[in-house]
Amino acid sequence: MPVFQIDGEPVEYEPGEKVLSAALRSGKMIPHYCYHPGMSVVATCRMCLVDVIDMGNGRPAPKLQTACSMDATEGMKVETLNQKVEEGRKLVNEFLLVNHPLDCPICDQSGECTLQDYAFEYGSGKSEMDYSKRVNGWRDIGTFVALERNRCIQCSRCDRFTREITGTNEFGMFNRGHELTVDTYADRPMTNKFQGNMADICPVGAITEKEFRFKRRVWKLKKNHSICTGCSTGCNITIEHDRNEVFRLKPVENQNVNKWWLCDEGRLTYRLMNERKMRIHQPLGRVDGSLAGISWEEAYSAIAERVSELAPEPQAVLALTDTQASNEELFLLQKLLKDVFAADNVFCPLPKWEQSESDFFINTLITSDKTPNRAGALALQIQGDEKNERLTKTIENDLKVVFVLGNPFAADLDVQQKIKQAQLVVHLGVFYNAWSEIADVVLPGQYYSEKVGTYTNKQQRVQSTEIAVQPLRRTRPEWQILAELSQRLGQKNSFENVPQVFTAIAGETAAFSGLNFEKIAGLGIELTKKIKDNGKKIVSVQT
Amino acid sequence: MLEETLVLFKNIRNPEYDKSLAGYKKSGGFKSLKKVFGMKPEDVVQEVKESGIRGRGGAGFPTGLKWSFMAKDTGKPSYLVANADESEPGTCKDRELMLKDPHLFLEGLMIGSYAIGCHHAYVYVRGEYFPSIKTLNSAVDELYADGLLGPNPLGSGFQLDITIHTGAGAYICGEESALLDSLEGKRGHPRVKPPFPAVSGFNACPTSVNNVETLACMPFILSDGGAEAFKSFGPQNNSGTHLVSLSGHVNRPGVYELRMDVNMKDIIYDIGGGIRNGKKLKGVIPGGSSSPVMTADEVDVLYNFDDLAKKGTMMGSAAMMVFDEDTDVVKLLHRITRFYAHESCGQCTPCREGTHWSRQIVRDFLSGNGSDEKLKLLNRVGGNMMGTTLCALGDAAAMPIQSFVKKFPDEFRKYYAIA
Ligand SMILES: Cc1cc2nc3c(=O)[nH]c(=O)nc-3n(C[C@H](O)[C@H](O)[C@H](O)COP(=O)(O)O)c2cc1C
Ligand code: SF4
Ligand code: SF4
Ligand code: SF4
Ligand code: FES
């Protein structure tokens, strides 16, 4: 790659690339507001000024240049720290503040506001403006975001977003000169499904997420890398939380998955992370027909006792799971049946699902498969088919022992009726559901914000989650429950953490061979041998 | 009295002139077009280069050079767009041409189209110019009826259509890239350059935007010996006659066609008939409201691009606004700052905030709240817009501010010295 210099250090660039883009990619910070790598360059905020002391031909540029719109060229020398640049930035920041309300104390952006940060870093700290400031007022612009126009710095990122990213053209700039402002067209609220991103890309507190407004100061939030489990796309996110309460999910850039974006529906899944009423809080056992709280020890010994009494044939053992479960959980469930019962009856629902195709990338994020790990189930060869035909045949057998993980076949009452007749039904799950109702033993699992796991998304990319918040006190992660169960049922295994389980998956299955947990932890890795998914249907979506 | 040199106004100054197509033809119209159809387009561009003509829209960029920059073999159509948005305060020359001799301009547009291989030319007319719009539309109708526009004008085999497009009355839509956005049906916001219109202009195709007067010079330049003659009308690098919009406190305001080697003093005192009511001259805004102001002592200079540049100002669109000793310079500046605050498109920070802020400061002087600090601040705010914006409107707003403060400081002090 060709090279130019920023502050004396060599920086590589791709032919045709702009100075700012190359600088940011190489980790060199040049302050900017309007530039966004995913959208067109407008060069209007004028914050990214740099001094080009040599344009590559030995001559300096006549005046400060905006780095976002300046082509990098071989031999070019750029300075970003000299006095001229500092003065340029100072005056741009002064202009931005003359009409800015500076209501940071009641502004949700405060603490992650680019204007605030740059004002501290590059501003002069005083103002010579002594006229009343421009007032534009608050606007209700959509279900998901609020607009406080007084704080707008007219960077037009939001405008470009509905034009270039969603293609919905719902939002634009109005009026001109110092009255230039942003709003929706014809006073209609926006309907695009990606509004939260406008709050992310707005550099100031003009567009904020309604869901988060006034809930918590951002500097109190701790952030953990994770995956959105709202659908099979697996957008990369941070879970942002304080005092064990999750406040919001924010996208993390991953060019191979979600680029910079996240859909609103996915953002709302944070609510489930704080859900307590529906949770299973402790192990439950059926005593005289109704479920009662028991200890983990009691639960495990009850299961072990019943299993040895029943001594089931392989065909009398069944496991059902949904595709919310992680790769490790699916693997250990399979292993439990194989090792303890020499059985391989593990089923999951595999209905048809739709993948959208669109001129606008962001539309392809949302899929109709609302589970994060269908591809993982396929890769691990969990059984199942579109119409559950094999499962229906299998449950004709006299069932003795059934394990249910999560909430599979939730709408299939026939299956539930049949399973109810089994001698021992064990439900492992996070939320109390119909399976808990018919189970003999219920084992409380943990939500994905509380545990480590890997998931295989629709592109068959394996990605992992971190522990973000403390789990409920008497729950255990499902992988651990499954490992402990198999020990109690006579198997020797020593899985102490998820990476160990993952190593076993990589060693024992063809699909995952060659992968390693550490490498997945960043931005994920795709399976080398692609699994065929017959349930996938492509549909075309226009904005 | 100094005589006008009649090239563009040859017909207009003839009281008998009939501006219809028949009248234009009778006065020798379309001879140049006919000649041009027999030439290679590159040779037409070469002739234009040789004439030395510089754009009359304000920037004074050599037209031949601009046309030679047009991207070739792109597989996309090329466009010629005539800039008839004429909104620079003081400028009213394009209107004369469009109203009184539309076919001269249209012939120029056709010659330009042929030179750059454009088959669909646009005229972007200022929204408020209703009579010009009407005249242009009927002139274009006449050309179609006559076969001069359409598939095969004058048997040349060259296809050309012309569309008259009206703006909605924004000064910024005279800036060429904002004009193209507006022409595409978007908000008129100047674009980032590069790419320049010659590479990616109207609908992302190679485009040349040229001022009406620039194009109206083409029939003369492309006539026999025209380029040479054109060059002889002014000093080197400042060729041709040009239209000067003379306004303000002179006895005979108007649009005059002059060579480029005429002294400004003579334009005011001879052509303009001197300052009205026998008053003394205080100053001149030499080239539209954007150009730095000149005091009465500075007007002994040749009125052309280079000589004015040497004096630290500019000829711009050649709109001279003359003001006498009774003029309140602070009020004048207030009017100018109001204009730029109103016309800034607002997308870039220094211009959006600076035009408004500077207007507020000047108004403060008028309401008696001036001070030495305010004067310094005004100068600083102006300076901070200079050279820091996306398009030239920022500079255009800054230049009057800085020059007024520099050249008439006492006028500002008068407003607060008493207190
Ligand atoms: C703010 C602004 C307003 C302008 N307005 C006009 C205008 O009204 N008419 C015009 O011909 N050029 C105007 N221009 C200049 C055009 O951008 C462009 O340079 C010109 O049309 C090119 O034509 P020329 O080469 O024939 O001069 C303006 C430029 C700026 C920056
Ligand atoms: S947008 Fe930023 S600078 Fe403005 S009030 Fe909010 S935190 Fe403060
Ligand atoms: S609302 Fe935010 S993103 Fe939109 S223009 Fe204003 S500052 Fe930029
Ligand atoms: S300088 Fe002014 S008119 Fe030009 S782009 Fe910037 S804000 Fe718009
Ligand atoms: S980031 Fe370059 S001008 Fe805004």
Side-chain angles (χ1 to χ4, degrees), chain A residues 431-447:
Chain A
F431 298 109
Y432 195 88
N433 58 33
W435 292 110
S436 325
E437 299 277 351
I438 62 174
D440 299 297
V441 182
V442 179
L443 302 173
Q446 296 176 347
Y447 201 55

Side-chain angles (χ1 to χ4, degrees), chain A residues 25-312:
Chain A
R25 279 198 307 111
S26 74
K28 181 104 195 145
M29 186 56 195
I30 298 175
H32 60 279
Y33 295 107
C34 66
Y35 171 80
H36 187 284
M39 301 189 289
S40 61
V41 170
V42 290
T44 55
C45 74
R46 317 307 285 177
M47 188 64 194
C48 63
L49 295 171
V50 292
D51 191 3
V52 182
I53 54 170
D54 180 346
M55 295 194 289
N57 55 11
R59 286 202 304 266
K63 55 182 188 184
L64 294 180
Q65 299 291 320
T66 45
C68 65
S69 63
M70 179 96 193
D71 285 315
T73 53
E74 186 72 54
M76 181 184 227
K77 292 197 182 90
V78 175
E79 289 195 349
T80 71
L81 301 167
N82 66 26
Q83 202 194 342
K84 226 165 113 189
V85 176
E86 252 165 47
E87 267 160 29
R89 284 176 187 159
K90 196 182 275 181
L91 76 88
V92 170
N93 237 62
E94 176 183 29
F95 276 134
L96 282 174
L97 292 179
V98 287
N99 277 300
H100 194 83
L102 283 172
D103 52 352
C104 309
I106 55 155
C107 177
D108 272 306
Q109 194 80 4
S110 186
E112 56 182 9
C113 172
T114 318
L115 182 62
Q116 197 181 45
D117 292 349
Y118 291 170
F120 270 110
E121 209 164 330
Y122 310 109
S124 73
K126 62 176 180 13
S127 171
E128 284 191 82
M129 149 85 182
D130 50 7
Y131 309 109
S132 52
K133 293 190 176 188
R134 167 177 67 220
V135 176
N136 278 321
W138 188 87
R139 299 283 290 162
D140 194 0
I141 54 168
T143 41
F144 209 83
V145 284
L147 172 65
E148 178 49 83
R149 292 187 298 180
N150 288 341
R151 297 189 192 126
C152 172
I153 57 165
Q154 287 83 12
C155 72
S156 87
R157 280 182 173 188
C158 50
D159 170 60
R160 282 173 282 154
F161 181 80
T162 74
R163 227 173 280 294
E164 300 169 13
I165 305 299
T166 62
T168 47
N169 291 299
E170 301 153 280
F171 201 80
M173 318 281 294
F174 293 81
N175 304 330
R176 63 183 193 206
H178 93 292
E179 285 166 1
L180 180 71
T181 186
V182 291
D183 205 343
T184 59
Y185 285 107
D187 271 349
R188 263 188 234 128
M190 293 189 291
T191 54
N192 80 67
K193 300 188 179 94
F194 305 95
Q195 296 167 22
N197 298 296
M198 296 169 74
D200 300 342
I201 59 176
C202 177
V204 292
I207 301 182
T208 50
E209 284 179 62
K210 284 186 177 169
E211 192 73 13
F212 179 69
R213 266 158 67 93
F214 311 132
K215 293 241 176 86
R216 192 71 28 134
R217 304 296 350 198
V218 297
W219 54 85
K220 298 205 164 174
L221 297 177
K222 290 170 271 309
K223 305 177 184 190
N224 289 93
H225 188 273
S226 196
I227 302 300
C228 174
T229 52
C231 81
S232 59
T233 303
C235 294
N236 291 208
I237 57 170
T238 51
I239 299 178
E240 310 202 359
H241 55 95
D242 178 38
R243 300 189 184 195
N244 225 36
E245 184 180 350
V246 178
F247 285 92
R248 62 180 187 184
L249 307 181
K250 284 276 179 191
V252 168
E253 179 182 343
N254 185 339
Q255 285 305 314
N256 292 307
V257 182
N258 51 313
K259 300 202 173 169
W260 303 269
W261 321 119
L262 186 62
C263 79
D264 294 343
E265 193 183 331
R267 284 171 204 262
L268 286 180
T269 61
Y270 92 96
R271 289 178 179 172
L272 276 177
M273 298 175 184
N274 298 325
E275 168 60 45
R276 291 292 178 266
K277 278 206 202 91
M278 297 290 297
R279 287 291 291 267
I280 306 168
H281 288 261
Q282 66 173 112
L284 305 169
R286 199 161 291 278
V287 184
D288 302 331
S290 59
L291 287 174
I294 54 175
S295 72
W296 279 99
E297 181 48 39
E298 284 166 336
Y300 285 151
S301 16
I303 296 170
E305 228 166 84
R306 282 298 278 154
V307 167
S308 80
E309 273 170 37
L310 294 166

